[in-house]
């Protein structure tokens, strides 16, 4: 959207991002820059990193599916749609309501913490942390939190 917003990072994902951050990074540096320190080109990243990773994992997914996963995990934790909207950067609840189809009432009763859901999914595939990124590849263009 071109707007800055603050998004809470849940462990273990915050730890994963920290592993990719250059040691000498400044607060406003990119978390995962391209080879010359600038923002990644989404089309190049999708072709070189995302699609090969999906193929190796045997899944069909788009990078945008991560937003749906994030919204689903927030809803599954029991957060109100207003909070989910804020985290996704939506200006209206109507936009966020598109995500409500992801969980039925029975599923929302579980109130599984996002951290636990992530760790359970990793345990299911036998990984304690996110897999390493091939040399020269980056995972995201998120900037560090603005304070």
């Amino acid at each position: 959207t071109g707007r800055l917003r603050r998004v809470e990072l849940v462990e273990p994902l915050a730890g994963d991002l920290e592993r990719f951050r250059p040691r000498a990074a400044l607060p406003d540096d990119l978390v995962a820059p391209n080879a010359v320190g600038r923002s990644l080109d989404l089309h190049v990243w999708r072709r070189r990193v995302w699609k090969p990773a999906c193929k190796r994992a045997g899944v069909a997914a788009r990078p945008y599916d991560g937003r749906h996963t994030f919204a689903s995990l927030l809803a599954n934790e029991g957060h109100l749609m207003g909070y989910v909207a804020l985290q996704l950067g939506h200006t209206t609840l109507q936009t966020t309501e598109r995500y409500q189809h992801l969980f039925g009432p029975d599923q929302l009763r579980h109130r599984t913490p996002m951290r636990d859901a992530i760790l359970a999914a990793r345990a299911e595939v036998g990984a304690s942390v996110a897999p390493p990124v091939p040399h020269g590849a980056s995972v995201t263009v998120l900037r560090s939190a603005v304070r």
Side-chain angles (χ1 to χ4, degrees):
T1 64
R3 293 181 295 132
L4 289 178
R5 64 181 168 267
R6 185 181 214 122
V7 177
E8 293 183 33
L9 289 177
V10 63
E11 277 296 336
L13 300 179
D16 295 341
L17 288 174
E18 190 60 37
R19 286 188 8 210
F20 296 110
R21 190 171 179 78
R23 297 265 184 242
L26 298 173
D28 287 335
D29 287 349
L30 294 170
V31 173
N34 66 14
V36 295
R38 295 196 176 105
S39 294
L40 297 169
D41 178 289
L42 178 61
H43 301 290
V44 172
W45 175 82
R46 188 178 293 145
R47 186 179 70 247
R48 291 184 184 170
V49 179
W50 183 264
K51 287 183 179 182
C54 287
K55 184 176 181 179
R56 282 192 309 273
V59 298
R62 304 165 299 160
Y64 193 80
D65 292 336
R67 285 180 60 81
H68 289 270
T69 301
F70 182 56
S72 300
L73 290 169
L74 287 172
N76 197 41
E77 280 187 323
H79 292 286
L80 298 174
M81 280 296 125
Y83 178 78
V84 176
L86 181 68
Q87 289 296 295
L88 295 175
H90 295 160
T91 55
T92 68
L93 284 179
Q94 287 79 12
T95 304
T96 310
E97 287 172 355
R98 292 185 212 167
Y99 295 90
Q100 287 182 332
H101 71 280
L102 298 170
F103 286 101
D106 291 340
Q107 293 166 303
L108 290 175
R109 282 192 211 123
H110 296 296
R111 303 283 195 254
T112 304
M114 191 181 309
R115 177 188 181 280
D116 294 350
I118 291 167
L119 293 175
R122 287 183 178 181
E124 191 173 319
V125 296
S128 60
V129 297
V133 173
H135 181 68
S138 298
V139 292
T140 187
V141 292
L142 295 175
R143 290 191 181 274
S144 61
V146 177
R147 299 199 194 280

